[in-house]
Amino acid sequence: MSSIDWDTTTAAIWRSRKEILHAVRHLDPVQLDSLLAIDSQKQQLIDNTARFLQHQPANNALLWGAKGTGKSSLIKALLNHFAPQGLRIIEIDKDDLIYLPEIVDGVRDLPFRFVVYCDDLSFDNEERMYKHLKSVLEGSIEKPPENVLLYATSNRRHLMPEFMQDNLQTQLINGEIHYSDTVEEKTSLSDRFGLWISFYPITTEQYLNIVDYYFKDYAGDRQHLHALAKRFALARGSKSGRTAHQFFLATAESSITER
């Protein structure tokens, strides 16, 4: 594992082929103020991260919900906001979780506070890679490090696929629900995240507000701009912050006036 100068490096990505941490030199500049329509979600994660940096109790966090709603951008914006206070982020792919214990061991004695970040985390039924994640979340015989939290994003609340048949053996005993072993196994991983933050599809009004944020310097016809933005979202089958940004990147001001 390569040596990272965490005094000058605020983020690193695990490169499994070389088995090294790669220092990130060009961070996504996204800021918290630019993330619209997710004020509640932002505040929950800001508060949790602030407690973590103040050496107070804080939770591992699972950001789950609709695609394109700002889950990943929120993690990046947190780093930009809290890096001066000692926050550092290590990004790791789901397929590389086997290396997670060694990565954590390499930073547990450092003076910085680390968020290990796993984007788009989910598992198929036959996968067992999540067992490495469990040991870091709650520890095995060794207590998890005090200076490391795990933040993950996912489209699945329980990180694993759920089927109707999983509930067939669930029973009601003395007025209490007892879930089947299959359900218990599937929920046991997500239960290790003390903070669940839900992200939901946005409304058309919220989508257009985000469009207006990106086009804040546009001096043309807003109604025409909104009509084009709605047409763009309809073609993609999605109204989201990601779609609004893609519309901004794909639409030059000159082309707006021409259409």
Side-chain angles (χ1 to χ4, degrees):
M1 188 180 300
S2 67
S3 176
I4 296 286
D5 181 2
W6 291 109
D7 286 310
T8 59
T9 300
T10 58
I13 300 174
W14 177 254
R15 302 296 195 201
S16 59
R17 189 173 66 83
K18 294 184 177 180
E19 296 188 9
I20 62 170
L21 281 172
H22 165 72
V24 176
R25 298 303 181 195
H26 303 285
L27 294 171
D28 187 327
V30 60
Q31 300 295 316
L32 289 170
D33 290 344
S34 69
L35 302 178
L36 307 181
I38 55 169
D39 289 346
S40 173
Q41 294 91 333
K42 273 197 296 186
Q43 197 58 55
Q44 289 182 72
L45 202 59
I46 288 172
D47 291 345
N48 190 69
T49 307
R51 289 195 299 272
F52 177 53
L53 291 171
Q54 294 163 7
H55 296 242
Q56 297 177 2
N59 278 306
N60 299 299
L62 173 62
L63 286 62
W64 73 275
K67 62 182 181 180
T69 48
K71 300 184 295 294
S72 301
S73 294
L74 179 51
I75 302 294
K76 299 170 188 175
L78 276 176
L79 175 61
N80 292 326
H81 182 76
F82 284 116
Q85 300 179 38
L87 182 66
R88 301 293 183 262
I89 284 186
I90 297 173
E91 183 175 358
I92 184 171
D93 189 81
K94 179 200 74 173
D95 294 334
D96 298 329
L97 289 175
I98 189 172
Y99 301 102
L100 189 55
E102 285 73 24
I103 293 173
V104 169
D105 283 345
V107 301
R108 68 168 58 237
D109 295 324
L110 298 181
F112 301 96
R113 313 293 281 181
F114 291 88
V115 165
V116 175
Y117 165 51
C118 191
D119 191 30
D120 197 19
L121 182 64
S122 64
F123 301 94
D124 293 327
N125 274 340
E126 65 274 9
E127 290 185 285
R128 292 293 177 265
M129 196 70 72
Y130 66 87
K131 293 185 181 295
H132 301 285
L133 190 59
K134 282 185 175 181
S135 65
V136 172
L137 286 170
E138 286 198 350
S140 51
I141 193 172
E142 183 178 34
K143 183 180 177 182
E146 179 264 344
N147 68 328
V148 176
L149 284 182
L150 181 75
Y151 285 179
T153 67
S154 180
N155 294 332
R156 293 173 175 169
R157 180 177 58 171
H158 289 140
L159 302 176
M160 301 182 72
E162 300 176 69
F163 305 100
M164 182 67 70
Q165 64 186 24
D166 294 340
N167 292 308
L168 294 180
Q169 296 180 352
T170 298
Q171 298 178 322
L172 186 65
I173 301 176
N174 295 327
E176 295 184 355
I177 296 177
H178 292 258
Y179 293 103
S180 68
D181 290 343
T182 301
V183 172
E184 291 284 358
E185 172 67 18
K186 288 188 174 183
T187 61
S188 64
L189 176 58
S190 58
D191 282 348
R192 284 168 166 78
F193 291 88
L195 179 61
W196 287 8
I197 303 179
S198 307
F199 291 72
Y200 301 100
I202 61 176
T203 66
T204 299
E205 180 181 3
Q206 291 171 324
Y207 169 65
L208 294 178
N209 286 339
I210 299 172
V211 169
D212 284 339
Y213 173 84
Y214 286 119
F215 285 89
K216 54 181 173 289
D217 297 325
Y218 175 64
D221 184 351
R222 286 279 161 179
Q223 287 188 335
H224 182 53
L225 175 66
H226 288 176
L228 293 177
K230 287 189 283 188
R231 186 189 307 170
F232 185 87
L234 181 63
R236 301 189 68 84
S238 171
K239 293 191 299 288
S240 68
R242 178 183 297 158
T243 305
H245 187 241
Q246 290 170 342
F247 171 68
F248 172 71
L249 294 177
T251 309
E253 184 170 328
S254 59
S255 66
I256 296 176
T257 57
E258 293 169 0
R259 294 164 67 179

